[in-house]
Amino acid sequence: IAAKYNIDPAGIVLGNGSDDIIALLTSVLLRPEDEVILPQPSFLFYEIALRSMGAQPVWVPLQSFNTDLAGMIEKISPKTRMIFLNVPHNPAGSIISKSDFQSFIEKIPPHVVIVLDEAYIEFVKAPDCTNSFEFINSDKPIVGMRTFSKAYGLAGLRVGYGAMPPDLAE
């Protein structure tokens, strides 16, 4: 993984599917009363994992089938600890451009972890689609999650991974 994507191996966390990475992130980073911003609709396990830690979801509806990044920024509060994004969005299929994502992360406080769920990224053909691995070394805590079960046909083997700054992986 590190060699293929030119990322630091110390920042790679393997899991039993991306669900395991989500559960690890929420259990380590969230405390009761924290808030997590999510697009609506979203992958159900985000809500299950964050609620299991006593955190509260803050929903931001899609706008014309696109993730409402401006709406997410408006929802940030002192209690916000994480933001989940799907790239591409599941089930809408929309993407977030690299320039839109760059503008978005510039407005996010440094204590907020941005998680990009890229379970279907291998199916995206748009060259301007955000790729978390290009942003992991930014000054913001960014996590990219991927799985081998979709594009690689390993649905029976639950193998997922997260790529993130090494201090967060630790």
Side-chain angles (χ1 to χ4, degrees):
I1 295 168
K4 179 173 179 160
Y5 295 111
N6 193 30
I7 53 179
D8 187 343
I12 298 171
V13 176
L14 300 175
N16 184 18
S18 54
D19 288 11
D20 196 24
I21 304 303
I22 295 164
L24 288 168
L25 287 167
T26 57
S27 67
V28 169
L29 298 174
L30 297 179
R31 301 292 171 257
E33 308 305 318
D34 283 345
E35 294 179 349
V36 178
I37 299 173
L38 309 119
Q40 189 175 36
S42 250
F43 180 42
L44 181 60
F45 192 69
Y46 304 148
E47 183 179 5
I48 293 169
L50 71 91
R51 284 192 187 272
S52 74
M53 299 310 300
Q56 298 301 310
V58 176
W59 300 104
V60 179
L62 299 181
Q63 295 293 319
S64 300
F65 299 102
N66 292 294
T67 302
D68 183 3
L69 297 176
M72 289 183 157
I73 291 166
E74 290 175 10
K75 296 283 187 175
I76 293 172
S77 79
K79 292 182 176 184
T80 304
R81 185 68 177 118
M82 298 176 79
I83 298 172
F84 278 102
L85 300 169
N86 312 95
V87 181
H89 186 274
N90 179 17
S94 56
I95 64 165
I96 299 170
S97 72
K98 292 176 187 179
S99 61
D100 286 348
F101 186 69
Q102 181 64 51
S103 296
F104 174 73
I105 65 173
E106 289 170 2
K107 297 174 180 100
I108 303 300
H111 71 278
V112 176
V113 176
I114 304 164
V115 181
L116 287 97
D117 185 343
E118 297 173 326
Y120 294 94
I121 196 80
E122 287 87 0
F123 299 106
V124 174
K125 301 298 181 206
D128 66 333
C129 181
T130 294
N131 173 340
S132 64
F133 298 163
E134 295 175 8
F135 292 91
I136 287 173
N137 295 321
S138 73
D139 62 348
K140 305 291 175 133
I142 295 174
V143 175
M145 294 186 314
R146 296 193 181 177
T147 178
F148 289 108
S149 67
K150 308 293 190 272
Y152 296 98
L154 298 178
L157 299 173
R158 302 276 305 147
V159 182
Y161 60 97
M164 60 201 77
D167 61 330
L168 184 54
E170 188 176 312

